[in-house]
Amino acid sequence: MAADHHHTAGYTAYGLIGAPTMRTSDGTPALQVQNLWKVFGPRAERLIGTADLQLSRKELQAKSGHVIGVRDVSFDVSPGEVFVVMGLSGSGKSTLVRLITRLIEPTSGTVVLNGEDITKMNDDSLREIRRKNVSMVFQHFGLLPHRKVIDNVAFGLEVRGEDKGARRNRAQEVVDLVGLQGYENNYPDQLSGGMQQRVGLARALAADPDILMFDEPFSALDPLIRRDMQNEVIRLHEEVGKTMVFITHDLQEALKLGDRILIMRDGAIVQIGRPDEVVGAPADDYVRDFVSEVPKSHVLTLSWVMRPPSGPDEGAGGPTLKDSQIVRDAARTVLEHHGPCRVVDGSGSVVGVVDEQDIMRVVVAEDESPAAANQAAS
Amino acid sequence: MSPVTVQAPPPRPGAIKEEQPYIDPQKKRHTGKRLLGILVFWLVLWVALRGKQTLAVPNADTTSFQDWLTQLKVTFSNMAQTNWFFHGVLGTIADAFNWMVGGLQAHISSTAPGQYLGWFGVLAVAMWIAYAVAGRRSTILVGVVLLLLGLFGTWQTGMDTLIITIVSVLISMIVGVPVGIAMARSRRTSAIVTPILDVMQTMPSFAYLSPVALFFGIGPATSVVLTLIYALPPLVRITEHGLRAVSPNTIEAGRSLGVTRSQLLRQIELPMAKRTIVVGINQSMMAALSMATIAALVNGPGLGQPVVSALQILNVGQASVAGLGIVAIAIMLDRTTTAASERTEKSSSGRVGSVGYPGLSSKVIIERLPRWAHEGAGRGSVGHRLTPAGRRLLLGVLLVPVVIAAVYSTRYLQLAQFPDLSGTPLLKELSGTPLAGHINDFTDALVNAIQGLTNAFKNTITYALLNPLQSLLSNLPWWVMAVVLLATAYVLGGWRPTITTAVCEAVILAVGLWNDTMTTLTMTLVATLLVMIIAVALGVGMGRSRRVDTLIRPFLDTFQTIPAFVYLVPALALFGSSRFTAIVAALMYAVPIATKLVADGIRGVAPTTVEAMRSTGCTRWQMISKVQLPMARESLVLSTNQGLLYVLSMVVIGGMVGGGSLGYLIYQGFSQDNLFGKGLCAGIAITALGIMLDRIARHAAERYGR
Ligand SMILES: Nc1ncnc2c1ncn2[C@@H]1O[C@H](COP(=O)(O)OP(=O)(O)O)[C@@H](O)[C@H]1O
Ligand SMILES: [Mg+2]
């Protein structure tokens, strides 16, 4: 509906967590994935380029016993961005994130990290990348039960051969950063799930990597703890500003954390976009169904609800709002004004107006949306 | 055997009736009817052809093949002087082992003063080692056990047994742990080694004696080789199992941090598998001790020798003194290694009680302890009171008195030679000969008192079960029995065990010991039947009641640590020298493991199921017979398979105390040179019998066990 009003020119993406996306001056992405494929099975390489890969997952599995894990995925992640990959269980998220550091070998395609092609690297350089540039946080923590918290955190540094004093200091720093002070000398099995995941987080941060990757890190936690940990990630992102690739099957989590969201289905990309784009302009019925329960006013920005001014003077004298503001946050101002308000873009020029009705349409539409989505689906 | 009823699986939730009509996935097997058919065939032919073509052979008669083997041994021992293989390779190995054992014997078991350690030094060093690896309680235990050995007058033989055991286990570790690691890392290695381990673990311990003696002759080196071979499989298996059980999540996390292959092994896999590997060492140690005593038959030094010579003259008292020494050593080694494994609590990835041996060949049987038995145990709070640095310091400080004790023990006769206590009041009653006398008096009194009971039991089993079955199995043409076995294998397990059975039968025929093998089979079947009756009775009780479990389990644990050989002594005391004695020894040996597995299965029945059944108002007996036993079927089958292998192993050893048949032939092979070949053949026949029984049981288990 609002897609017509949407314009991209000069748009500055603001994530929901409020951290501005940092682009390096030359604009090289931190991570570049191109035409990445993963086919599980004995003769996966031979399948690449054949017509068999056009088949659906089920058909291919029935025909040759091969399973498509990731199907022709390409995307870029900018430095400092939080890039969320979302999809149902079995959609290939874990496989995708493991292809990036070749914990699973890609069948074809390229992964470029800091200008270097990971897929062409030998084992030694790959190990260096894993030690220094990319760290990962896992759903099931993967901690070493025989080591204390502090030694778990320092493990990555130990593996790359740093001496004891230096790695202790660094580990202590990170332990403080994630709020684990006082637990350094405990063993993992003495901690709660949330605390264990903090250890996992600290271990990943200790190496001071360029990119942090999370594979459903909070799925195993209780809802309240999960919320705490999400806020923790937001805080850390503000403090250390790392590029993050975050896997989740939870849409709320994706919308809360992501600067951009990649939605996967059966190993392939369905949509890539900012949270407001995913909610405001779902690429297909699958995504629409997904986002139907989301309170739109909490996600959409004014640029999705504004209309072109009917004349040059419309809204003059009223409050001026930014087009990147969330509808919910702007609602009070608009409703109190009882008239059209001007909406300006990043450079300050007027791009549209909103009034009470525009706001109400989004808020009220939330109640209808499930029905609307069902209609669209049928 | 009751016919197997095929039960309809519970309807799957969400499955619509019309779309998915129920189709019986298993074709009806009619196992019961077929077995009945076999039985009829068997009985009819037995009545018709009784006593013909039984292939019975007098003990002293030999076939030409057996003579050829006897001759082969002579040839081999002649070649030991010159041949590159026998002299160069085997001779070097034997020399190395002899040198090692000899050196240790000089220090540890020999009691002459001089530059060698005396008993007091040995005691101090042993206690220090126990403190270092296991802790205070084990230290006290080690002290008590060693003093007890001295008191019994078995210091020298006891130390010899310890030397053989520990040297063999150390070599097993050097060989076994790397092999286990290699198997965990490569599927192909695992696929090659596993079948070899299978055969090694199916072989009863007695069957190892002759083949090793064929190549190594007799003496300490042979004893080490035997013990080492026997101790190897559990260690290799459990090491592989422990490494494979390391969580893939942790391994992946390690890889994501960029570990190298060797870092992965040293810093992740080995530490996490450490506890399991220590359990493997414990199992390996117990197997080693068991074999080290049996090796007395090939002239291996140690406590087995007094047991053998006492058994030969049926002197229960003497055998008991040595037997008690062995039991004391067994408890000491078991508790010390268990304590050592509990020390490594931090790396625990699962609670492991013990691991079956001889194993159900293809898998490691990890005995799961009941939940309450380890609740709280090893949970973080139990940490050591000392920091690692503090412990190291303490150990260092303690080393000083140990060194002083060691040095003094080389200088003073009283500290070198265990003091003669025959003049001391009280204590002298406990030393060797008087103690044996007391035990003899006691058993005589006991046996006289309960003779009526024991004889009734013995006669009932012998006349009602053993004799008829033996006649049925061995007193008819061999080919009838061969066909019966083949048909049973086919009905129970399909064509694969049938082929194995055919091969094993051929081997048994070829070595010329068909009739003796059938006698051994009879005893094995009778003993297994009795084992399962006892095991189910005890196991159901243990599985249903925590009180019963706490009561019985410690006894089973202790029984399990006692080396097989020792069981002959009480069996002989109670029942004299007969076939039945071997069966009783087998019962004592096999009941603990079988009971534990049954209890495990009963306990494993989901509490919700039990609760639901109780809500329908079924009686206790209905609960056991209709719910718990059927649902524990897998454990029952497993328990039978294990029971069978344990029984076979012991029935054969029982050949020494009147069990006769194959076991006796092996024993005879060592006492009479011209019968060595026949003994070797008996070993081969036993192995064939073991493999045959194991394969039939395994395939039957696969079919009916779930
Ligand atoms: N090693 C493997 N071999 C075969 N198929 C696999 C393997 N790993 C994953 N798959 C399949 O790939 C698909 C994607 O799995 P995964 O990436 O784990 O999904 P997600 O993380 O989104 O739940 C699933 O269908 C899974 O069955
Ligand atoms: Mg996943």
Side-chain angles (χ1 to χ4, degrees), chain B residues 232-247:
Chain B
L232 207 51
L235 183 59
V236 172
R237 251 205 173 128
I238 296 169
T239 302
E240 182 193 8
H241 173 83
L243 287 171
R244 282 200 192 278
V246 172
S247 152

Side-chain angles (χ1 to χ4, degrees), chain B residues 538 540-554:
Chain B
L538 291 180
V540 167
M542 284 172 71
R544 287 170 53 89
S545 148
R546 179 177 162 166
R547 277 238 311 285
V548 178
D549 194 311
T550 3
L551 203 68
I552 297 182
R553 188 171 288 274

Side-chain angles (χ1 to χ4, degrees), chain A residues 93-94 139 215-216 247:
Chain A
K93 310 179 298 290
S94 297
Q139 180 177 4
D215 185 13
E216 303 203 26
I247 308 288

Side-chain angles (χ1 to χ4, degrees), chain A residues 329-347:
Chain A
D329 301 341
R332 174 166 289 255
T333 319
V334 178
L335 294 183
E336 278 175 359
H337 178 58
H338 297 297
C341 306
R342 277 185 165 164
V343 180
V344 298
D345 66 9
S347 62

Side-chain angles (χ1 to χ4, degrees), chain A residues 38-41 57 61 65-70 86-98 104 139 215-216 247-249 264 266-267:
Chain A
K38 177 65 198 181
V39 181
F40 292 107
R57 236 190 203 184
Q61 188 169 10
H66 290 77
V67 178
I68 297 185
V70 166
M86 202 203 66
L88 296 178
S89 167
S91 56
K93 310 179 298 290
S94 297
T95 308
L96 175 61
V97 79
R98 281 163 179 72
I104 297 178
Q139 180 177 4
D215 185 13
E216 303 203 26
I247 308 288
T248 181
H249 66 252
M264 274 183 100
D266 288 347

